[in-house]
Amino acid sequence: MKLQDLIYFNKLVELKSYTTVSEYFGVSQPTISMAIQRLEKEFNVELINRNQAHRKIKISPHGKVLYKHTDIINRAVEEIKKDMHHNFKVPIRFGLPPIIGNYYFPILALELSKSDILDDLDNIEAGSGKLLDQLRSGEIDIALLGSNEPIESHAIKSKVLTKSDFKIIVSLNSPLAKLKKIKIKDLNNINFISLSNDFIHHNTFNKLCNEHSIKVHIRYRTQDVELLKQLVSEDLGVSFLTEQAISPKDNLVAIPIDDDDLDKFYVSLTYRKTHVLSPKEKQLIAVLINSIKK
């Protein structure tokens, strides 16, 4: 069985025209026809119901089954092409959410420099949700991602490196600043400064609000974590952040959340299972694992 025959069949199902498929691949129409005949002989089934009167093709039930498999194969072939194109070229396309980057990258930069990797990095910054989509689509190859549970995916290799708690942050002048602990229900109708939708914080806090049947008044949304903390410090609202994003210089009070059902903030090393790692990428992964401890 030839791989190219399967690819021809996959495209024929999509385009439903021998002529169009032959033009797409730049081969003769008989080449496509013979490829389909070889597959039918290989599996001893009819894959295409041919209607000569209307010059149309109809995919048989066996053909529909084969298409499911060839679709996976075709996507894998495209993934291989991307990897072969990018794998041994610099820079390394590396996804890094701002919160994780701000906390860990100063530590990582020294080790990456010692390993002669720093100059090879092309850092792409965005929220973890957006970066996960870019990882799946092949726009980036390796990422540190935040999540409220360990990442499980048939397509993504994931290793939890560390985890931490979420906290409510308030200004020094807030009436809440004196609290030792706070419950999510105590935030009902409070003014809130939110990170944008592609941050895991947004989804995690929304989940908590739904579970505790509360609503908050969102005064401002931002992708800029430093701006968020500044707005909170000016007492324009409270917010919800992982403790890794909070430092003493922020002039904020971080209040522990006293609810048993609170998720943790996981930091995971991720890359596509189909991605063939280059020597530099393997070095990068080793540095990330050794530098970010649980």
Side-chain angles (χ1 to χ4, degrees):
M1 187 190 311
K2 295 182 178 180
L3 174 62
Q4 192 61 52
D5 290 352
L6 295 170
I7 294 174
Y8 287 155
F9 174 77
N10 180 267
K11 188 58 66 175
L12 181 62
V13 173
E14 293 177 357
L15 299 180
K16 294 184 172 55
S17 166
Y18 283 88
T19 302
T20 307
V21 173
S22 65
E23 291 174 351
Y24 180 89
F25 288 106
V27 299
S28 67
Q29 187 170 326
T31 298
I32 307 300
S33 298
M34 286 188 288
I36 304 306
Q37 290 171 13
R38 282 193 295 270
L39 290 173
E40 290 181 324
K41 184 177 180 180
E42 173 77 22
F43 295 113
N44 194 28
V45 296
E46 184 181 55
L47 299 173
I48 305 294
N49 296 325
R50 299 163 181 83
N51 187 330
Q52 298 296 336
H54 298 91
R55 295 183 179 180
K56 293 182 180 179
I57 64 169
K58 184 178 179 182
I59 311 304
S60 73
H62 288 106
K64 291 178 181 178
V65 171
L66 181 60
Y67 174 72
K68 292 180 181 179
H69 293 283
T70 60
D71 194 46
I72 295 171
I73 292 169
N74 192 56
R75 282 187 275 118
V77 169
E78 292 302 314
E79 186 70 27
I80 290 170
K81 289 178 180 177
K82 286 182 181 178
D83 281 343
M84 293 303 291
H85 179 71
H86 291 291
N87 194 34
F88 297 103
K89 293 183 178 181
V90 294
I92 299 170
R93 300 177 301 170
F94 179 50
L96 193 64
I99 288 175
I100 296 174
N102 289 345
Y103 185 81
Y104 286 112
F105 201 72
I107 304 169
L108 290 171
L110 180 59
E111 294 302 317
L112 293 172
S113 179
K114 289 179 182 177
S115 302
D116 196 27
I117 302 172
L118 188 61
D119 292 342
D120 296 332
L121 285 186
D122 178 16
N123 285 0
I124 293 90
E125 290 195 0
S128 291
K130 183 176 181 179
L131 288 175
L132 182 57
D133 289 338
Q134 290 179 320
L135 189 64
R136 287 185 175 126
S137 67
E139 295 175 63
I140 59 177
D141 296 316
I142 301 174
L144 284 177
L145 298 181
S147 62
N148 58 4
E149 59 184 8
I151 298 170
E152 295 184 1
S153 169
H154 71 279
I156 303 297
K157 177 74 173 178
S158 175
K159 178 180 177 62
V160 174
L161 300 182
T162 187
K163 62 182 179 180
S164 59
D165 292 323
F166 289 102
K167 294 190 175 182
I168 298 299
I169 58 170
V170 303
S171 77
L172 298 176
N173 298 321
S174 170
L176 301 176
K178 297 179 182 179
L179 295 178
K180 299 297 182 183
K181 292 183 179 181
I182 192 168
K183 289 187 177 291
I184 293 297
K185 68 179 183 180
D186 297 331
L187 301 176
N188 194 36
N189 294 321
I190 204 164
N191 289 331
F192 194 80
I193 310 298
S194 175
L195 286 169
S196 57
N197 296 4
D198 59 331
F199 283 77
I200 192 65
H201 293 67
H202 172 83
N203 296 329
T204 303
F205 188 73
N206 275 358
K207 176 185 170 186
L208 286 170
C209 288
N210 291 332
E211 289 174 350
H212 293 268
S213 301
I214 71 162
K215 291 184 179 180
V216 297
H217 174 52
I218 297 178
R219 301 193 72 184
Y220 194 76
R221 282 185 207 275
T222 179
Q223 290 189 324
D224 188 331
V225 178
E226 295 305 314
L227 175 59
L228 177 143
K229 291 191 288 186
Q230 185 177 345
L231 293 175
V232 172
S233 71
E234 296 292 337
D235 206 17
L236 296 174
V238 308
S239 195
F240 176 79
L241 275 183
T242 173
E243 58 188 351
Q244 292 167 326
I246 308 161
S247 70
K249 68 179 182 179
D250 291 326
N251 292 318
L252 297 168
V253 176
I255 309 173
I257 301 171
D258 188 22
D259 285 299
D260 294 335
D261 56 350
L262 182 65
D263 292 329
K264 297 286 187 179
F265 181 75
Y266 293 86
V267 176
S268 300
L269 166 66
T270 59
Y271 56 91
R272 291 185 310 284
K273 291 180 180 179
T274 57
H275 178 60
V276 180
L277 295 168
S278 71
K280 285 283 188 180
E281 288 172 334
K282 290 179 181 178
Q283 282 184 280
L284 170 61
I285 288 172
V287 170
L288 295 174
I289 292 174
N290 292 330
S291 299
I292 302 176
K293 305 296 184 181
K294 287 188 179 181

